[in-house]
Amino acid sequence: MKRKVGIIGAGHVGSDVAFSLVTQGICDEIVIIDKIEAKAESEALELRDMASMTRSYTTITANNWEALSDTDIIVMAVGPETLLREDRMEELVETSRSVTEIVPKILATGFKGIFVNITNPCDVITMLIQKVSGFDHSRVFGTGTSLDTARMRRVVGEALHINPKSIEGYVLGEHGESQFVAWSTVKIGGVNITDYKTKTPLDLPALKDAVRGGGWNILTGKGWTSFGIATATAGIVDALLTDAKQVFPLAVFSEQTNTYIGQPALIGANGVLDTIKPPLTKEEQTNFEHSAEVIRKAFDLL
């Protein structure tokens, strides 16, 4: 049985997702599509050039919409023309127009798999994909705060001089300005960060700012961000294809807020199996509800 993934958008993010999938041997076949066909063709050709050096073989094709019909997963990685924007919400008009055109073309192929959205603003665009496709909420979700959570673990790990893999916890809410670190969930070896012994007290507000500003620092330095989100997406795709039943902080539908928003979710071969609601402090719950309102208002603009 083929493990087949479609990637819509061959920009920095889409191409790095493809690179991650190929180098990690996560799938058997990738279909790359971009409105600039020569770009998708070039990315596919370079990925095929790697075939003799990767640990497993991956078939790569480009710009074949009909080939999406039997894909297990479609990764939406459409980006805006202008990359250097501080607020992801500024991309909404452009990316929503693109997605509204693309999703019907995908459905016309007979696609019945799972949508994984990266396109920003992630939570709002994920809601749009679900609405346009009519798919069940379990089969449409976004990368949400997966990258933000990884940044939090990196920031906390560097502050404590600990491998970020040893940091537990989540960034929740919008993948954007209203996101927040749920410090009540952040632990090291089962010990909450506020109780963890350090030589000097941790400045949690400063760490929070470092987490939220991480993407902007990368963006202003190199012009785009792609390695982190591509790696996060590859892990999500792997969990779906292997029915891993693994928890990720994703943009999933919340009945509580009636919107897509970043929170822990259990995923497997059939998509989202369950959403997990970690106990939050009163302040964190307020932040979560505020973030949901930001997302909902942006969606209403569409």
Side-chain angles (χ1 to χ4, degrees):
M1 184 168 65
K2 291 286 187 182
R3 300 172 298 162
K4 189 173 181 181
V5 177
I7 300 174
I8 312 299
H12 298 296
V13 172
S15 58
D16 276 1
V17 169
F19 178 82
S20 295
L21 294 175
V22 171
T23 53
Q24 294 181 52
I26 289 174
C27 58
D28 302 308
E29 188 172 351
I30 297 175
V31 181
I32 304 175
I33 292 178
D34 195 274
K35 66 179 181 180
I36 302 175
E37 294 191 358
K39 179 71 166 65
E41 293 285 357
S42 296
E43 295 291 357
L45 179 59
E46 188 166 25
L47 288 167
R48 292 200 296 270
D49 279 348
M50 296 161 43
S52 64
M53 300 180 283
T54 54
R55 65 183 186 184
S56 59
Y57 183 75
T58 309
T59 300
I60 314 291
T61 57
N63 300 315
N64 184 351
W65 286 90
E66 290 305 314
L68 298 176
S69 63
D70 61 346
T71 51
D72 300 291
I73 302 161
I74 286 182
V75 176
M76 190 70 72
V78 177
E81 295 290 338
T82 304
L83 294 178
L84 202 60
R85 293 176 177 176
E86 187 168 4
D87 189 341
R88 296 174 183 87
M89 286 298 185
E90 295 177 9
E91 305 175 17
L92 180 56
V93 173
E94 184 178 346
T95 56
S96 63
R97 184 180 299 122
S98 297
V99 166
T100 303
E101 294 173 355
I102 290 168
V103 171
K105 293 181 68 174
I106 294 172
L107 298 182
T109 70
F111 171 72
K112 290 180 173 57
I114 295 169
F115 280 103
V116 177
N117 178 53
I118 303 174
T119 296
N120 282 322
C122 183
D123 309 89
V124 182
I125 293 299
T126 304
M127 287 182 70
L128 181 62
I129 292 172
Q130 191 279 323
K131 182 176 181 180
V132 174
S133 68
F135 279 20
D136 188 84
H137 289 115
S138 64
R139 292 168 56 205
V140 183
F141 60 88
T143 49
T145 51
S146 291
L147 177 55
D148 308 292
T149 295
R151 284 179 179 147
M152 178 273 290
R153 291 172 177 167
R154 186 264 301 169
V155 167
V156 172
E158 288 177 351
L160 296 176
H161 305 289
I162 293 176
N163 189 317
K165 291 181 180 180
S166 297
I167 311 299
E168 305 168 41
Y170 298 103
V171 174
L172 303 178
E174 175 203 5
H175 176 55
E177 293 303 300
S178 67
Q179 68 177 236
F180 65 98
V181 180
W183 291 116
S184 66
T185 69
V186 180
K187 299 178 181 180
I188 302 95
V191 177
N192 189 273
I193 190 170
T194 55
D195 298 322
Y196 190 77
K197 292 182 180 180
T198 58
K199 291 183 179 179
T200 57
L202 290 174
D203 186 345
L204 296 187
L207 294 180
K208 177 198 70 175
D209 290 341
V211 173
R212 195 157 76 171
W216 181 245
N217 292 337
I218 297 168
L219 191 64
T220 54
K222 61 182 279 189
W224 65 88
T225 64
S226 59
F227 295 162
I229 191 59
T231 304
T233 304
I236 292 165
V237 168
D238 184 50
L240 293 170
L241 292 175
T242 59
D243 194 24
K245 296 181 176 63
Q246 187 173 348
V247 175
F248 295 85
L250 304 170
V252 293
F253 184 72
S254 164
E255 293 184 0
Q256 171 191 349
T257 63
N258 195 35
T259 186
Y260 272 81
I261 189 168
Q263 64 184 83
L266 181 70
I267 61 172
N270 294 319
V272 177
L273 305 176
D274 193 15
T275 55
I276 299 168
K277 302 174 181 62
L280 302 177
T281 66
K282 186 175 180 180
E283 180 182 2
E284 289 168 349
Q285 185 61 42
T286 299
N287 289 337
F288 188 79
E289 292 168 1
H290 167 69
S291 195
E293 184 65 19
V294 169
I295 297 166
R296 193 161 45 244
K297 284 182 177 179
F299 183 76
D300 288 344
L301 292 176
L302 298 178

